[in-house]
Amino acid sequence: MSEIPSAPARSVLVTGGNRGIGLAIARAFEANGDKVAITYRSGEVPEGLLGVKADVTDAASIDAAFTEVEAAHGPVEVLIANAGVTRDTLLMRMSEDDFTSVIDTNLTGAFRVIKRASKGMIKMRKGRVVLISSVVGLYGSPGQINYAASKAGLVGIARSLTRELGSRGITANVVAPGFINTDMTAELPEATQKSYLASIPANRFAEPEEVANVVRWVASNEAAYISGAVIPVDGGLGMGH
Ligand code: NDP
């Protein structure tokens, strides 16, 4: 009996893949046999991954990063727009800079990398875009008007991209994590963490790998007919939103 051929290694790029959820996603694709590159701004490149320095608020640095990845791994077939920041404060205290800087990284940053990746994907007539949003994008959260707006905007990007490029073998989906144990959530006051926990039906927080496995699957051939979807990984926190 002949063996089932394994899928060819794809060129995968994860923004903000040097730590947290992004690193777990990079490791999941690496375990899948793909060629994985990550962007990082500071610190070290995790072992075994191709690290390219880039800031998603800077289109020129994104372009240079893609050029480097293309030379090493070929055109990016799987793009994970993961880089994100928070700058939480109540509306009354939120400055315009608090708002626009979060939008610039989380939303415009995703636009910049998707635009750069789309050229190669259109040429190849295949591609997978996964945008890392948040339960907060559709559920809302006090003190996170900037962050929630940026994360809700990703849904509009994924759905419009699906309508623009769906006929070219390209899918675009949103993964919306709930409360995941990373540096981002470690910063939250204990009282905030407790109140989140009380509203999570699973009664626990999750590890980055639990998000990574879903991202890997939605970028796989098995998920070829899923596009424009918002996939929650939140222990039931956002049901119905
Ligand atoms: P971390 O704070 O642990 O990591 C954030 C990552 O984004 C880092 O790699 C960071 O790079 C990178 N990054 C931030 N700003 C930029 C920028 N301007 N250019 C390039 N890279 C940048 O966060 P998480 O791992 O927790 O979060 C990852 C994603 O998941 C984010 O989009 C976040 O909003 C989302 N998310 C997280 C949840 C959670 O509970 N943790 C829940 C829902 C969504 P550097 O190391 O250089 O700072």
Side-chain angles (χ1 to χ4, degrees):
M1 225 163 69
S2 62
E3 270 181 34
I4 299 167
S6 55
R10 300 166 301 172
S11 172
V12 178
L13 178 62
V14 185
T15 65
N18 53 316
R19 60 192 172 100
I21 294 173
L23 178 56
I25 292 171
R27 292 290 184 218
F29 282 104
E30 191 188 31
N32 203 41
D34 290 309
K35 297 175 282 184
V36 185
I38 57 128
T39 73
Y40 71 109
R41 283 184 311 177
S42 53
E44 302 286 309
V45 178
E47 221 183 297
L49 301 171
L50 170 65
V52 288
K53 233 179 183 159
D55 188 318
V56 297
T57 64
D58 174 2
S61 93
I62 291 167
D63 185 47
F66 269 83
T67 304
E68 217 179 312
V69 174
E70 284 160 356
H73 291 166
V76 172
E77 187 179 332
V78 180
L79 173 69
I80 315 299
N82 165 78
V85 290
T86 50
R87 240 211 238 186
D88 299 352
T89 189
L90 295 171
L91 175 63
M92 294 304 281
R93 288 197 211 110
M94 190 175 284
S95 68
E96 193 163 323
D97 186 56
D98 290 332
F99 188 85
T100 56
S101 65
V102 169
I103 297 287
D104 195 25
T105 300
N106 298 4
L107 183 60
T108 320
F111 160 75
R112 292 186 187 99
V113 290
I114 290 167
K115 185 175 161 131
R116 180 59 178 78
S118 67
K119 289 184 199 166
M121 289 181 180
I122 290 168
K123 242 187 191 165
M124 291 188 286
R125 296 192 70 82
K126 59 181 173 182
R128 292 277 187 275
V129 176
V130 183
L131 299 107
I132 307 302
S133 175
S134 165
V135 63
V136 157
L138 299 178
Y139 193 74
S141 168
Q144 294 197 300
I145 280 180
N146 49 0
Y147 183 75
S150 72
K151 294 301 189 182
L154 296 177
V155 178
I157 291 186
R159 293 189 166 163
S160 301
L161 195 63
T162 292
R163 294 195 190 280
E164 268 192 47
L165 299 181
S167 64
R168 319 277 184 105
I170 297 167
T171 68
N173 289 289
V174 168
V175 168
F179 198 113
I180 316 298
N181 287 319
T182 68
D183 296 343
M184 186 177 272
T185 44
E187 274 176 13
L188 293 171
E190 213 181 305
T192 311
Q193 298 200 20
K194 269 198 179 146
S195 84
Y196 264 114
L197 190 59
S199 42
I200 299 170
N203 196 33
R204 65 176 180 88
F205 301 145
E207 296 307 317
E209 290 70 24
E210 299 184 79
V211 178
N213 290 334
V214 175
V215 172
R216 177 182 52 187
W217 177 77
V218 87
S220 74
N221 269 340
E222 291 180 352
Y225 206 53
I226 298 177
S227 199
V230 180
I231 301 165
V233 186
D234 64 3
L237 173 60
M239 282 190 293
H241 291 273

